[in-house]
């Protein structure tokens, strides 16, 4: 019997014909197939997208599987007529997905949060749709992401600082949206393509993004610095005067004649003489002023007659000024002008030591606008950061304004932002306050409102108390 079994086995083995193809069993990504069918059922689409349910999901248009046909690794459906909100809780179940492209459709609503579950995702292309809402900061969890394109949508809010976690990113495209606020400092070394043009961004371009061309920031009227024109002072200097605009210079191919050369030389010499004369007059006036001050000091040292002193004190007793200080203020126009341009500190002043000129030279960016004026973040050359509020529609007279500022400067309370200095003139009213790096009360309240419903009420009450301090 064993010999017969060996003979049958030899006959079966010897009957194998290499020319006859062997049927292989093809794998099917069953779970991913159900996810794709659920996605197509949830999103209305045009007849262009036709998937035959009788064939393998790996053979459907726009779908690509891995080499073993065990999982879907790419879903590309550009311009297939997908309409309506992008459903949540579906595409995040494609655990092996590496590329997701739904560009050039009419998808709306917000970007689903479950896309952050796609841990292997390398390319996300959602441009040319009608997506709204803010850019989810949770997208920064996709640490393998190489290309991110959200351009040509209706996205709002700020560019999240969390994109710095995408250390492998080579392209970030956010143009043609409604993004606002200032640009964060994005220091991704691998980033070679960057575009935030035609949004509503403001402030200065961060130093880490200055390597990109001006076209990457075009269309943001309140954006400056870097490859764009330099940032201008946020308010005009009281002593500033408009610069004359020079007309275009016409080039001439003809050489200057001898008479023209002589005329230019004479004009140059005349101008030099006038400049020297002006300097001489200024030196004489300064010397005369110095002599007058010295003479006044000598007279004060020797002492004036008691009757003259008594009369002077009687006339100036109500204002608290001596007769010599009155004479100095009324006789010196330059001193009165310096008094008008003076920055007045109130209260404890926060330990600040700068003047109006330092404030004029500071770089600034817009923090917000309100009914009473515009607030700016000003960074002085020495590194000090303050907030300058430019008041508008202030009808108070100077004594009344100064009285209010002195009163407010004495108030010290944990829930109030005490003014540190002010400036008053006919055209400008400025208020200098401390800069709070933690953000505005509005942003903190909005963050409180956006907390998940699962957060207990006791935690919410604790956050409200902390914000109110």
């Amino acid at each position: 019997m064993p010999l017969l079994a060996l003979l049958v086995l030899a006959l079966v083995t010897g009957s194998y014909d290499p020319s006859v193809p062997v049927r292989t069993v093809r794998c099917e990504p069953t779970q991913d197939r159900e996810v794709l069918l659920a996605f197509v059922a949830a999103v209305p689409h045009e007849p262009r997208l036709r998937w035959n349910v009788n064939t393998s999901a790996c053979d459907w248009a726009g779908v690509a599987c891995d080499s073993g046909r065990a999982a879907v690794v790419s879903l590309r459906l550009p311009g297939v007529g997908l309409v309506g909100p992008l459903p949540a809780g579906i595409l995040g179940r494609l655990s092996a997905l590496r590329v997701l492209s739904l560009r050039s459709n009419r998808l709306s609503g917000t970007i689903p949060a479950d896309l952050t579950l796609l841990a292997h995702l390398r390319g996300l292309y959602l441009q040319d749709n009608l997506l709204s809402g803010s850019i989810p900061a949770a997208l920064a969890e996709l640490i393998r992401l190489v290309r991110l394109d959200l351009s040509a949508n209706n996205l709002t809010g700020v560019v999240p600082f969390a994109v710095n976690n995408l250390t492998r990113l080579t392209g970030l495209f956010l143009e043609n949206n409604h993004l606002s606020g200032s640009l964060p400092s994005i220091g991704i070394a691998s980033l070679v393509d960057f575009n935030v043009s035609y949004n509503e961004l403001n402030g200065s371009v961060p130093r880490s993004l200055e390597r990109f061309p001006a076209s990457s920031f075009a269309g943001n009227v309140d954006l400056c610095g870097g490859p764009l024109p330099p940032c201008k002072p946020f308010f005009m200097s009281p002593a500033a005067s408009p610069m004359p605009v020079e007309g275009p210079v016409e080039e001439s191919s003809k050489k200057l004649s001898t008479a023209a050369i002589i005329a230019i030389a004479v004009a140059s010499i005349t101008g030099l003489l006038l400049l020297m004369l002006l300097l001489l007059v200024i030196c004489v006036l300064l010397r005369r002023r110095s002599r007058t001050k010295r003479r006044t000091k000598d007279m004060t040292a020797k002492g004036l007659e008691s009757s003259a002193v008594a009369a002077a004190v009687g006339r100036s007793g109500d204002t608290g000024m001596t007769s010599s200080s009155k004479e100095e203020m009324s006789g010196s126009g330059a001193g009165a002008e310096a008094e008008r341009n003076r920055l007045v500190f109130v209260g404890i002043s926060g330990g600040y030591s700068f003047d109006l000129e330092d404030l004029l030279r500071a770089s600034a960016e817009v923090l917000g606008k309100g009914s009473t004026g515009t607030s700016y973040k000003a960074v002085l050359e020495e590194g000090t950061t303050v907030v300058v509020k430019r008041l508008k529609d202030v009808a108070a007279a100077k004594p009344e304004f100064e009285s209010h500022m002195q009163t407010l400067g004495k108030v010290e309370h944990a829930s109030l932002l005490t003014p540190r200095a002010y400036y008053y003139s006919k055209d400008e009213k400025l208020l200098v306050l401390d800069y709070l790096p933690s953000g505005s009360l509005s942003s903190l309240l909005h963050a409180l409102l956006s907390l998940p419903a699962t957060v207990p009420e006791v935690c919410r009450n604790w956050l409200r108390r902390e914000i109110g301090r």
Side-chain angles (χ1 to χ4, degrees):
M1 250 340 247
L3 185 60
L4 180 61
L6 290 174
L7 181 61
V8 172
L9 181 61
L11 289 174
V12 172
T13 306
S15 63
Y16 170 72
D17 186 359
S19 63
V20 178
V22 179
R23 291 187 61 186
T24 59
V25 179
R26 304 179 66 186
C27 295
E28 175 70 13
T30 307
Q31 186 176 0
D32 290 352
R33 176 192 177 96
E34 295 176 357
V35 173
L36 294 175
L37 291 176
F39 173 73
V40 172
V43 180
H45 57 277
E46 297 179 1
R48 276 177 269 179
L49 183 60
R50 295 180 180 177
W51 285 348
N52 188 353
V53 294
N54 295 322
T55 61
S56 173
C58 296
D59 298 328
W60 291 349
V63 178
C65 298
D66 58 1
S67 58
R69 300 174 69 87
V72 174
V73 297
S74 175
L75 179 60
R76 300 176 185 268
L77 301 175
V80 296
L82 300 176
V83 182
L86 193 58
I90 297 180
L91 294 178
R93 291 151 54 192
L94 298 173
S95 57
L97 197 65
R98 298 179 183 178
V99 177
L100 176 60
S101 176
L102 303 177
R103 60 181 176 85
S104 302
N105 288 286
R106 286 178 288 168
L107 296 170
S108 58
T110 58
I111 299 175
D114 65 296
L115 293 183
T116 58
L117 300 177
L118 304 174
H120 299 281
L121 197 65
R122 296 180 181 177
L124 180 58
Y125 305 94
L126 301 178
Q127 68 267 33
D128 296 318
N129 280 288
L130 303 174
L131 298 174
S132 58
S134 59
I135 301 174
L139 287 179
E141 298 176 12
L142 303 174
I143 57 175
R144 288 185 172 89
L145 204 61
V146 176
R147 307 288 286 186
L148 176 60
D149 196 337
L150 304 178
S151 61
N153 281 287
N154 296 321
L155 298 175
T156 56
V158 300
V159 179
F161 181 79
V163 297
N164 281 284
N165 293 338
L166 305 176
T167 56
R168 300 183 183 181
L169 203 65
T170 62
L172 178 60
F173 305 93
L174 304 175
E175 67 269 21
N176 293 302
N177 281 288
H178 302 286
L179 301 175
S180 58
S182 57
L183 273 174
S185 179
I186 301 176
I188 304 175
S190 59
L191 193 64
V192 294
D193 296 312
F194 178 78
N195 198 330
V196 292
S197 60
Y198 298 99
N199 280 283
E200 299 170 10
L201 301 170
N202 58 46
S204 58
V205 175
R207 189 180 301 274
S208 60
L209 299 176
E210 292 180 352
R211 55 193 172 100
F212 295 103
S215 58
S216 297
F217 310 94
N220 296 281
V221 295
D222 294 327
L223 204 59
C224 59
L228 300 176
C231 298
K232 298 179 180 179
F234 53 90
F235 60 89
M236 296 298 295
S237 170
S241 59
M243 298 295 293
V245 179
E246 297 181 358
V249 179
E250 298 181 356
E251 295 183 357
S252 175
S253 59
K254 298 180 180 180
K255 295 182 178 180
L256 294 175
S257 62
T258 305
I261 295 176
I262 295 175
I264 293 174
V266 171
S268 301
I269 295 174
T270 304
L272 183 60
L273 292 176
L274 290 176
L275 180 60
M276 294 176 63
L277 181 61
L278 180 61
L279 293 175
L280 181 61
V281 171
I282 292 174
C283 291
V284 172
L285 291 177
L286 291 176
R287 182 174 298 179
R288 184 177 299 175
R289 182 179 177 184
S290 176
R291 289 178 180 176
T292 303
K293 288 184 178 181
R294 216 168 25 245
R295 188 181 301 114
T296 303
K297 290 181 180 179
D298 292 341
M299 292 178 63
T300 304
K302 292 180 179 179
L304 298 174
E305 293 157 358
S306 59
S307 59
V309 173
V313 173
R315 287 193 301 269
S316 59
D318 296 335
T319 62
M321 293 187 298
T322 62
S323 59
S324 61
S325 62
K326 282 189 175 182
E327 178 183 354
E328 211 171 283
M329 291 185 63
S330 60
S332 174
E337 183 67 21
E339 180 67 22
R340 284 196 298 270
N341 293 343
R342 185 168 62 91
L343 193 65
V344 181
F345 288 90
V346 295
I348 63 175
S349 303
Y352 298 131
S353 59
F354 56 86
D355 55 17
L356 185 61
E357 293 298 325
D358 297 329
L359 203 60
L360 293 176
R361 291 192 298 266
S363 62
E365 62 179 80
V366 179
L367 292 179
K369 298 181 180 180
S371 59
T372 58
T374 305
S375 297
Y376 304 87
K377 173 186 173 182
V379 181
L380 303 178
E381 292 180 349
E382 64 184 26
T384 303
T385 303
V386 295
V387 174
V388 180
K389 188 172 185 65
R390 186 181 185 184
L391 303 176
K392 66 177 182 178
D393 301 332
V394 178
K398 185 175 182 181
E400 182 182 359
F401 183 85
E402 292 179 341
S403 175
H404 282 302
M405 290 299 103
Q406 294 294 338
T407 302
L408 290 175
K410 298 176 182 179
V411 177
E412 292 292 338
H413 193 275
S415 299
L416 295 178
L417 196 58
T418 306
R420 300 306 183 191
Y422 68 88
Y423 169 77
Y424 183 96
S425 71
K426 181 180 180 182
D427 300 321
E428 292 286 352
K429 284 85 177 175
L430 305 177
L431 199 58
V432 179
L433 308 104
D434 293 330
Y435 173 69
L436 302 180
S438 57
S440 65
L441 178 61
S442 174
S443 62
L444 293 176
L445 291 176
H446 280 292
L448 179 61
L449 293 175
S450 62
L451 287 175
T454 56
V455 177
E457 186 64 26
V458 64
C459 296
R460 294 175 182 271
N461 292 335
W462 182 83
L463 289 174
R464 292 191 187 99
R465 288 195 301 269
E466 289 298 317
I467 292 174
R469 289 183 178 180

